[in-house]
């Protein structure tokens, strides 16, 4: 018997089938092969088509069937992970009204800052644990203010994972963690925030029915089952944003445990048992997947928009013919410090950890007689690792002191240069695991469907592939401080 996990990423849709007994992935596929399009109609804007997600999911599942490694009739639950903070709006007929305004879109920053001031900064931080910023609630307010004809047709506003679950089941549901990531949730009053909804002039009925993360969010409809060549009535038993789900997939569930990922965006995500917040809202606190009345576990999230996007940009412009593995080998030929070449990887929208400022990506100190592709690709990886250190220091200011960080052996952590630089510049060991988001979603679906009693049972075969220890911390510290000084100068301009 099997579990199906779906990961609605920014770059592609990934699906995995996991064996219930062994907890191991037996098949996986993704679509598209190259990165999915991000539509940018104006500076700082980022949109994607929800219907394209659905089409890409169909193609990914078709590729999964083509592998002929499992019996689709034996799939017992479906779990969904998805890119966080996006806005999807549908009408009464469940038809999409506009492209999704996705996580890295910064058009609503000003609206969120005005809401922060007018609702009251202390009230926002105590009740929402965040500034409204450019999160989902502010994006919905932007549609109300700028696209009133579209807004008037809205039946439900949801997160990307809610939309995919709707396409699968016909049901529209959400959860407390999902609403908290959209900054719709009042933690003090344990309800949808009246402050946010009233200030923005939003009706609470626009939001979906609330269900636990681990629960049945509907059953696969006959129509969708036929489209996907699956059996009808499979429960969709788990939905989570990608970063809480990544933490789940790494078995990061208890206070003090920390996960990291370096995909399209870069994230450090730590679990806390306190309703904490950063006074400047540079890092953000949301309800974790196991948040409930008894255990108010939250996830403190540091997000860097430009990580994978920076590396992808460098590849496409400097070495489009090389694979990422070849780029990693190329970067390893350059010395630590990239012969003085520095990279600020902040070219994918306003960065929350930089107080919603947009510096643009920077390639600094080019010496035409010294620097080649080796130094460029090492400098990009080092700049990304430095950005993680900058954000980690903010987390440390807020009381998080990780002794080890868990990460999946994927994306930039596949690069020995990046992974070791990350460890050296932060000074924290990293444990690398095989699991990824789609596997975590599959196991989450197993928990939600009652196949596993709890997360501990779901992750009994969760083994470390390898542990990286700091080796060059003293060498990297002055290089990092020079990088930090450059960043601060750009922020102060």
């Amino acid at each position: 018997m099997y579990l199906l996990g779906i990961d609605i990423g920014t770059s592609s849709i990934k699906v995995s089938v996991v064996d219930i007994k062994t907890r191991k992935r037996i098949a996986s596929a993704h679509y598209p092969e190259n990165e999915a399009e991000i539509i940018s109609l104006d500076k700082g804007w980022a949109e994607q088509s929800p219907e394209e997600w659905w089409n890409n999911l169909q193609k990914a599942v078709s590729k999964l069937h083509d592998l002929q490694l499992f019996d689709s009739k034996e799939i017992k639950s479906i779990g969904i992970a998805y890119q966080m903070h996006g806005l999807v709006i549908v009408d009464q007929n469940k038809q999409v009204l506009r492209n999704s305004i996705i996580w890295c879109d910064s058009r609503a920053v000003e609206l969120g800052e005005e809401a922060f001031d007018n609702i009251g900064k202390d009230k926002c931080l105590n009740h929402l644990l965040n500034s409204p910023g450019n999160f989902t609630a502010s994006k919905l307010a932007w549609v109300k203010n700028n696209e009133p004809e579209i807004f008037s047709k809205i039946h439900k506003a949801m997160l990307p994972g809610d939309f995919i679950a709707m396409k699968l089941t016909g049901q529209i549901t959400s959860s407390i963690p999902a609403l908290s990531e959209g900054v719709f949730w009042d933690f003090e009053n344990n309800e949808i925030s009246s402050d946010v909804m009233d200030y923005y002039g939003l009706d609470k009925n626009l939001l979906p029915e609330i269900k636990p993360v681990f629960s049945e969010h509907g059953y696969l409809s006959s129509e969708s089952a036929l489209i996907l060549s699956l059996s009808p009535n499979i429960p969709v038993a788990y939905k989570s944003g990608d970063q809480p789900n990544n933490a789940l997939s790494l078995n990061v569930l208890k206070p003090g445990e920390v996960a990291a990922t370096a995909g399209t965006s870069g994230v450090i995500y730590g679990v806390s048992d306190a309703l904490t917040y950063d006074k400047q809202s540079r890092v953000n606190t949301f309800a974790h997947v196991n948040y409930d009345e008894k255990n108010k576990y939250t996830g403190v999230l540091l997000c860097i928009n430009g990580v994978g996007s920076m590396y992808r940009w460098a590849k496409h412009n400097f070495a489009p013919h090389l694979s990422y593995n070849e780029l990693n080998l190329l970067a390893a030929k350059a010395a630590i410090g990239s012969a003085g070449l520095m990279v600020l990887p902040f070219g994918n929208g306003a960065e929350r950890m930089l107080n919603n400022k947009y510096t643009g990506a920077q390639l600094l100190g080019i010496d035409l007689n010294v620097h080649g592709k080796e130094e460029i690709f090492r400098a990009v990886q080092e700049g990304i690792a430095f950005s993680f250190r900058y954000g980690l220091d903010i987390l440390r200011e807020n009381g998080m002191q990780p002794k080890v960080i868990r990460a999946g052996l994927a994306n930039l952590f596949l690069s020995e240069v990046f992974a070791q630089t990350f460890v050296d510049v932060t000074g924290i060991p990293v444990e690398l695991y095989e699991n990824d988001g789609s596997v975590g979603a599959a196991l989450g679906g197993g928990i939600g469907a009652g196949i596993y009693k709890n997360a501990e049972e779901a992750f009994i075969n969760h083994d470390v592939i390898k542990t990286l220890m700091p080796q060059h911390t003293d060498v990297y510290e002055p290089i990092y401080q020079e990088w930090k000084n450059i960043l601060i100068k750009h922020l102060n301009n």
Side-chain angles (χ1 to χ4, degrees):
M1 295 188 293
Y2 308 113
L3 310 169
L4 175 63
I6 300 169
D7 187 0
I8 312 300
T10 310
S11 300
S12 69
I13 309 299
K14 186 170 185 179
V15 289
S16 289
V17 172
V18 173
D19 184 281
I20 287 175
K21 185 176 181 180
T22 66
R23 281 77 162 169
K24 299 298 183 182
R25 173 172 50 200
I26 63 166
S28 67
H30 72 277
Y31 194 88
E33 297 298 329
N34 299 314
E35 288 93 343
E37 180 187 12
I38 294 178
I39 303 163
S40 185
L41 301 177
D42 204 346
K43 183 180 179 180
W45 289 24
E47 300 181 358
Q48 287 185 322
S49 164
E51 291 294 348
E52 194 65 20
W53 297 336
W54 175 236
N55 292 335
N56 289 343
L57 173 60
Q58 295 172 45
K59 292 172 182 175
V61 171
S62 178
K63 288 177 63 180
L64 202 60
H65 288 306
D66 289 344
L67 297 172
Q68 298 184 342
L69 295 173
F70 63 96
D71 181 354
S72 63
K73 293 179 182 178
E74 292 297 311
I75 292 176
K76 300 303 178 183
S77 77
I78 298 172
I80 300 171
Y82 59 88
Q83 49 173 291
M84 297 173 72
H85 314 308
L87 171 69
V88 182
I89 50 178
V90 297
D91 63 16
Q92 287 275 2
N93 298 317
K94 299 174 183 171
Q95 298 299 305
V96 174
L97 290 168
R98 71 173 327 280
N99 283 336
S100 172
I101 304 175
I102 66 170
W103 57 278
C104 55
D105 186 288
S106 53
R107 76 186 71 185
V109 167
E110 187 176 342
L111 276 177
E113 290 175 347
E114 290 173 357
F116 197 32
D117 289 334
N118 287 297
I119 294 172
K121 293 183 178 180
D122 288 342
K123 191 169 190 179
C124 283
L125 294 174
N126 282 301
H127 286 257
L128 308 174
L129 308 183
N130 298 288
S131 159
N134 61 325
F135 294 110
T136 313
S138 300
K139 291 167 182 170
L140 182 57
W142 184 93
V143 175
K144 176 176 179 286
N145 293 350
N146 293 275
E147 299 174 345
E149 289 187 9
I150 291 175
F151 183 83
S152 67
K153 298 175 184 176
I154 297 176
H155 170 58
K156 292 294 179 184
M158 62 188 95
L159 281 295
D162 303 331
F163 168 77
I164 292 299
M166 181 199 79
K167 297 295 286 188
L168 293 171
T169 69
Q171 303 299 308
I172 302 177
T173 68
S174 193
S175 66
I176 290 174
L179 293 173
S180 77
E181 74 175 72
V183 192
F184 289 109
W185 191 252
D186 186 324
F187 284 89
E188 283 284 323
N189 295 325
N190 200 39
E191 63 183 13
I192 293 170
S193 171
S194 296
D195 292 319
V196 169
M197 302 303 277
D198 291 348
Y199 176 78
Y200 282 144
L202 304 173
D203 191 321
K204 292 182 181 179
N205 290 324
L206 291 175
L207 300 178
E209 174 188 3
I210 300 172
K211 288 194 170 187
V213 171
F214 299 101
S215 68
E216 291 171 351
H217 292 267
Y219 295 84
L220 188 64
S221 68
S222 297
E223 179 184 359
S224 292
L226 184 63
I227 291 171
L228 297 172
S229 299
L230 297 172
S231 299
N233 298 316
I234 302 171
V236 174
Y238 168 81
K239 288 188 300 181
S240 172
D242 51 9
Q243 299 311 323
N245 176 73
N246 181 62
L248 173 74
S249 74
L250 294 166
N251 201 20
V252 170
L253 294 166
K254 298 175 183 177
E257 295 178 335
V258 177
T261 184
T264 303
S265 63
V267 169
I268 299 178
Y269 184 97
V271 179
S272 173
D273 57 0
L275 299 181
T276 61
Y277 55 82
D278 177 58
K279 290 183 179 180
Q280 299 179 50
S281 207
R282 296 166 298 174
V283 297
N284 303 103
T285 304
F286 308 110
H288 195 27
V289 292
N290 55 351
Y291 177 97
D292 58 31
E293 276 296 299
K294 182 180 178 182
N295 297 306
K296 293 188 175 181
Y297 291 163
T298 58
V300 183
L301 185 152
L302 161 81
C303 182
I304 310 159
N305 291 351
V307 167
S309 299
M310 181 75 222
Y311 204 39
R312 180 183 62 191
W313 178 88
K315 176 187 186 303
H316 286 180
N317 285 281
F318 294 108
H321 58 290
L322 297 181
S323 68
Y324 283 111
N325 182 57
E326 289 171 325
L327 296 187
N328 295 337
L329 295 174
L330 197 64
K333 294 180 180 179
I336 287 175
S338 305
L341 193 61
M342 294 272 181
V343 169
L344 301 182
F346 305 118
N348 196 27
E351 297 280 357
R352 287 195 293 276
M353 79 169 185
L354 303 181
N355 298 104
N356 281 323
K357 292 184 179 180
Y358 180 73
T359 64
Q362 307 281 337
L363 189 60
L364 302 161
I366 299 172
D367 186 324
L368 302 178
N369 298 309
V370 172
H371 298 131
K373 290 179 181 177
E374 293 91 343
E375 287 76 21
I376 289 173
F377 287 107
R378 184 170 191 119
V380 169
Q381 294 194 27
E382 288 180 334
I384 292 168
F386 294 159
S387 70
F388 273 100
R389 161 67 186 278
Y390 186 88
L392 181 63
D393 286 348
I394 295 172
L395 289 173
R396 286 167 169 152
E397 286 176 32
N398 284 273
M400 191 162 289
Q401 302 293 334
K403 293 181 172 56
V404 66
I405 294 174
R406 297 176 189 168
L409 186 57
N411 301 314
L412 272 166
F413 279 104
L414 289 168
S415 167
E416 292 183 9
V417 168
F418 171 78
Q420 190 60 52
T421 303
F422 180 99
V423 172
D424 288 338
V425 78
T426 61
I428 300 173
V430 168
E431 295 176 348
L432 293 172
Y433 295 82
E434 184 179 348
N435 281 10
D436 68 5
S438 59
V439 173
L443 292 170
I447 299 167
I451 294 167
Y452 305 122
K453 289 185 294 186
N454 50 39
E456 286 73 18
E457 184 176 298
F459 288 93
I460 57 173
N461 291 336
H462 192 246
D463 300 321
V464 180
I465 297 173
K466 62 179 176 180
T467 301
L468 300 176
M469 301 299 294
Q471 296 178 9
H472 310 291
T473 300
D474 292 343
V475 177
Y476 264 116
E477 185 61 23
I479 300 171
Y480 168 71
Q481 292 299 334
E482 181 182 354
W483 179 93
K484 180 180 174 182
N485 289 335
I486 291 169
L487 172 61
I488 291 170
K489 286 178 182 177
H490 278 276
L491 292 174
N492 291 335
N493 284 343

